[in-house]
Coordinates of all heavy atoms in Angstrom, one line a residue:
V599 N 0.8 -1.2 0.0 CA 0.0 0.0 0.0 C 0.9 1.2 0.0 O 0.6 2.2 -0.7 CB -0.9 0.0 1.2 CG1 -1.7 1.3 1.3 CG2 -1.9 -1.2 1.1
Q600 N 1.9 1.3 0.8 CA 2.8 2.4 0.8 C 3.5 2.6 -0.5 O 3.7 3.8 -1.0 CB 3.9 2.3 2.0 CG 3.3 2.3 3.4 CD 2.5 3.6 3.7 OE1 3.0 4.7 3.3 NE2 1.4 3.4 4.3
A601 N 3.9 1.5 -1.1 CA 4.6 1.6 -2.4 C 3.6 2.2 -3.5 O 4.0 3.0 -4.3 CB 5.1 0.3 -2.9
A602 N 2.3 1.7 -3.4 CA 1.3 2.2 -4.3 C 1.1 3.7 -4.1 O 0.9 4.5 -5.1 CB 0.0 1.5 -4.1
K603 N 1.1 4.2 -2.9 CA 0.9 5.6 -2.6 C 2.0 6.4 -3.3 O 1.8 7.5 -3.9 CB 0.9 5.9 -1.1 CG -0.4 5.4 -0.4 CD -0.3 5.7 1.1 CE -1.6 5.3 1.8 NZ -1.6 5.5 3.2
R604 N 3.3 6.0 -3.1 CA 4.4 6.6 -3.7 C 4.3 6.6 -5.3 O 4.6 7.6 -5.9 CB 5.7 6.0 -3.3 CG 6.0 6.2 -1.8 CD 7.5 5.8 -1.5 NE 7.7 4.3 -1.8 CZ 7.5 3.4 -0.8 NH1 7.1 3.8 0.4 NH2 7.7 2.1 -1.1
R605 N 3.8 5.5 -5.8 CA 3.7 5.4 -7.3 C 2.6 6.3 -7.8 O 2.8 7.0 -8.8 CB 3.4 3.9 -7.6 CG 3.4 3.6 -9.1 CD 3.6 2.2 -9.4 NE 2.5 1.4 -8.7 CZ 2.8 0.6 -7.7 NH1 4.0 0.4 -7.2 NH2 1.8 -0.1 -7.1
F606 N 1.5 6.5 -7.1 CA 0.4 7.3 -7.5 C 0.8 8.8 -7.4 O 0.5 9.6 -8.3 CB -0.8 7.1 -6.6 CG -1.7 6.0 -7.1 CD1 -1.2 4.8 -7.6 CD2 -3.1 6.2 -7.2 CE1 -2.0 3.8 -8.0 CE2 -3.9 5.2 -7.7 CZ -3.4 4.0 -8.1
L607 N 1.6 9.2 -6.4 CA 2.1 10.6 -6.3 C 3.0 10.9 -7.4 O 3.0 12.0 -8.0 CB 2.7 10.8 -4.9 CG 1.8 10.9 -3.7 CD1 2.6 10.9 -2.4 CD2 1.0 12.3 -3.8
R608 N 3.9 9.9 -7.7 CA 4.9 10.1 -8.8 C 4.2 10.3 -10.1 O 4.5 11.1 -10.9 CB 5.9 9.0 -8.8 CG 7.0 9.1 -9.8 CD 8.1 8.1 -9.6 NE 7.6 6.7 -9.8 CZ 7.5 5.9 -8.8 NH1 7.8 6.2 -7.5 NH2 7.0 4.7 -9.0
T609 N 3.2 9.4 -10.3 CA 2.4 9.5 -11.6 C 1.7 10.8 -11.7 O 1.6 11.4 -12.8 CB 1.4 8.3 -11.7 OG1 2.2 7.1 -11.6 CG2 0.7 8.3 -13.0
S610 N 1.1 11.3 -10.6 CA 0.4 12.6 -10.6 C 1.4 13.7 -11.0 O 1.0 14.6 -11.8 CB -0.2 12.8 -9.2 OG -1.2 11.9 -8.9
R611 N 2.6 13.7 -10.4 CA 3.6 14.7 -10.8 C 4.0 14.7 -12.2 O 4.1 15.7 -12.9 CB 4.8 14.6 -9.9 CG 4.5 14.8 -8.4 CD 5.9 14.9 -7.6 NE 5.6 14.9 -6.2 CZ 5.8 13.8 -5.4 NH1 6.3 12.7 -6.0 NH2 5.6 13.9 -4.1
L612 N 4.2 13.5 -12.7 CA 4.6 13.3 -14.2 C 3.4 13.8 -15.1 O 3.7 14.4 -16.1 CB 4.9 11.9 -14.5 CG 6.2 11.3 -13.8 CD1 6.3 9.8 -14.0 CD2 7.4 12.0 -14.4
Y613 N 2.2 13.5 -14.7 CA 1.0 13.9 -15.5 C 0.9 15.4 -15.5 O 0.7 16.1 -16.5 CB -0.2 13.3 -14.9 CG -1.5 13.6 -15.8 CD1 -1.8 12.9 -16.9 CD2 -2.3 14.7 -15.4 CE1 -2.9 13.2 -17.6 CE2 -3.4 15.0 -16.1 CZ -3.7 14.2 -17.3 OH -4.8 14.5 -18.0
A614 N 1.1 16.0 -14.3 CA 1.1 17.5 -14.2 C 2.1 18.2 -15.0 O 1.9 19.3 -15.6 CB 1.2 17.9 -12.7
A615 N 3.3 17.5 -15.1 CA 4.4 18.1 -15.9 C 4.3 17.8 -17.4 O 5.1 18.2 -18.2 CB 5.7 17.6 -15.3
G616 N 3.3 17.0 -17.8 CA 3.2 16.6 -19.2 C 4.1 15.5 -19.6 O 4.2 15.2 -20.8
A617 N 4.7 14.9 -18.6 CA 5.6 13.8 -18.9 C 4.9 12.4 -18.9 O 5.6 11.4 -19.2 CB 6.8 13.8 -17.9
A618 N 3.7 12.4 -18.6 CA 2.9 11.1 -18.6 C 1.5 11.4 -19.1 O 1.0 12.5 -18.9 CB 2.8 10.5 -17.2
G619 N 0.9 10.5 -19.9 CA -0.4 10.7 -20.5 C -1.4 9.9 -19.7 O -1.2 9.2 -18.7
F620 N -2.7 10.0 -20.2 CA -3.8 9.3 -19.5 C -3.6 7.8 -19.5 O -4.0 7.2 -18.6 CB -5.1 9.7 -20.2 CG -6.3 9.0 -19.6 CD1 -6.8 9.5 -18.4 CD2 -6.9 8.0 -20.2 CE1 -7.9 8.9 -17.8 CE2 -8.0 7.3 -19.6 CZ -8.5 7.8 -18.4
E621 N -3.0 7.3 -20.6 CA -2.8 5.8 -20.7 C -1.8 5.4 -19.6 O -2.0 4.3 -19.0 CB -2.3 5.4 -22.1 CG -3.4 5.4 -23.1 CD -4.5 4.5 -22.8 OE1 -4.3 3.3 -22.4 OE2 -5.7 4.9 -22.9
D622 N -0.8 6.2 -19.3 CA 0.1 5.9 -18.2 C -0.6 5.8 -16.9 O -0.4 4.9 -16.0 CB 1.3 6.9 -18.2 CG 2.0 6.9 -19.5 OD1 2.5 5.8 -19.9 OD2 2.2 8.0 -20.0
V623 N -1.5 6.8 -16.7 CA -2.3 6.9 -15.4 C -3.2 5.7 -15.3 O -3.3 5.0 -14.3 CB -3.1 8.2 -15.4 CG1 -4.0 8.2 -14.1 CG2 -2.1 9.4 -15.3
R624 N -3.9 5.4 -16.4 CA -4.8 4.3 -16.4 C -4.1 2.9 -16.1 O -4.7 2.1 -15.4 CB -5.5 4.2 -17.8 CG -6.6 3.2 -17.9 CD -7.2 3.0 -19.3 NE -6.2 2.4 -20.1 CZ -6.0 1.1 -20.2 NH1 -6.8 0.3 -19.5 NH2 -5.1 0.6 -21.0
A625 N -2.9 2.8 -16.6 CA -2.2 1.5 -16.4 C -1.8 1.4 -14.9 O -1.9 0.3 -14.3 CB -0.9 1.5 -17.2
V626 N -1.4 2.5 -14.2 CA -1.1 2.4 -12.8 C -2.3 2.1 -12.0 O -2.3 1.3 -11.1 CB -0.5 3.8 -12.4 CG1 -0.3 3.9 -10.9 CG2 0.9 4.0 -13.0
V627 N -3.4 2.8 -12.3 CA -4.7 2.6 -11.6 C -5.2 1.1 -11.8 O -5.6 0.4 -10.8 CB -5.8 3.6 -12.0 CG1 -7.1 3.2 -11.3 CG2 -5.3 5.0 -11.6
A628 N -5.2 0.6 -13.0 CA -5.6 -0.7 -13.3 C -4.8 -1.8 -12.6 O -5.4 -2.8 -12.1 CB -5.6 -0.9 -14.8
S629 N -3.5 -1.6 -12.5 CA -2.6 -2.5 -11.8 C -3.0 -2.6 -10.4 O -3.1 -3.7 -9.8 CB -1.2 -2.1 -12.0 OG -0.3 -3.0 -11.3
F630 N -3.2 -1.4 -9.7 CA -3.5 -1.4 -8.3 C -4.9 -2.0 -8.0 O -5.0 -2.8 -7.1 CB -3.4 0.0 -7.8 CG -3.8 0.1 -6.3 CD1 -3.0 -0.4 -5.3 CD2 -5.0 0.8 -5.9 CE1 -3.3 -0.3 -4.0 CE2 -5.3 0.9 -4.6 CZ -4.5 0.3 -3.6

């Protein structure tokens, strides 16, 4: 759970910076 929290925060930052797209976010959420 702690690792997932870190992964979600990192993905959020990458998305905000334009370095990750919706498909990247979807993959992280689907895996969890």
